[in-house]
Amino acid sequence: NMKNTNSIRLMTSNVLGNWRDGFIENRDDVMAEIYLDLCPDVIALQEFSARYRGEETDLLSLVAPKYKEILTPVLNRSHNNGTPLLYNTERVKVLDRGYYFFADGVCDNSKSITWAALEMIDGGKRFVYASAHFIHTSEDARVIDGDQAKLLCDGLADFYNCPVMIGGDFNSNRMSRSYANLISHGFVDLYEKAPNPPRVKSYHPYPVLDEETHLYVPNPAPIVGDFKNSIDHIFYYGKPEWMPTVENFDILTDVRSQIASDHCPVFVDLVLQ
């Protein structure tokens, strides 16, 4: 893996679990291949629905024993955590974890934040990583989600006295009021700190089910828009002196990404201070 013991790779990935008639087919197999190939230390998932979890060989089995879900009580009506964290058991140990269910007036059961306080097995550096999914139906509610994310991250940074990173599907592009709200609260978009970030968008047309093979294939429709339209982000929150160095920020746009979901896995390589 990476040579510097203070280096971490964080990923966020919306797996498209709540969609149409619910066939998952080969999508989770392809997603598992991506995770095992890119080897992030922690993965923030969104749309990890009961249906997605219920596949005959589910994603968690496909990435085991290397990755495990960070289990936490789930405070919503469905009792399913749609925003779980997976951690690389060879690289990271879990110190603490929790779940926050948004109170924004319109939130559905899949929109939440899951967080974990973590320690690198080599080097002992501590950090918090969280997985977030903001509501898709209302910009006003997304601003409220951002206000609540700020309060949560404030508490986490203060209590654990370490940097906080939060990745997810914020349903907010760089031109939106809800994105501006996050920035005004002190969230730092790690994309902006990367040396040569990709100029592509983080989501694309839905994969298409090939009726003959019953396997998903990429949508032939072109991917329109650039990085300003991205809604999947990884932010830093905490003291300026804790700010990690961003070595690389990438958005995986290859064929596998186009088969597995309508969102690209987004990942960042950081060096913790």
Side-chain angles (χ1 to χ4, degrees), residues 148-159:
Q148 293 175 12
K150 194 261 186 213
L151 288 171
L152 177 65
C153 290
D154 237 0
L156 292 171
D158 188 48
F159 189 82

Side-chain angles (χ1 to χ4, degrees), residues 26-84:
N26 59 323
R27 293 199 295 105
D28 55 349
D29 302 84
V30 174
M31 198 62 96
E33 189 187 300
I34 291 170
Y35 298 163
L36 293 171
D37 188 23
L38 292 174
C39 270
D41 295 309
V42 201
I43 309 168
L45 299 174
Q46 299 86 45
E47 281 193 43
F48 206 65
S49 63
R51 179 192 292 158
Y52 201 91
R53 288 177 183 273
E55 280 294 278
E56 199 172 329
T57 309
D58 69 315
L59 182 68
L60 294 170
S61 308
L62 291 164
V63 297
K66 187 163 194 147
Y67 290 96
K68 279 187 184 165
E69 180 179 359
I70 298 174
L71 295 171
T72 181
V74 179
L75 311 173
N76 66 39
R77 292 180 302 278
S78 71
H79 307 294
N80 177 68
N81 188 353
T83 59

Side-chain angles (χ1 to χ4, degrees), residues 189-202:
D189 189 339
L190 292 174
Y191 178 98
E192 304 294 342
K193 298 292 179 184
N196 291 297
R199 309 290 288 182
V200 294
K201 193 171 73 165
S202 69

Side-chain angles (χ1 to χ4, degrees), residues 92-107:
V92 176
K93 63 181 177 187
V94 181
L95 305 175
D96 203 357
R97 75 282 183 276
Y99 175 90
Y100 181 80
F101 186 54
F102 290 118
D104 58 16
V106 293
C107 190

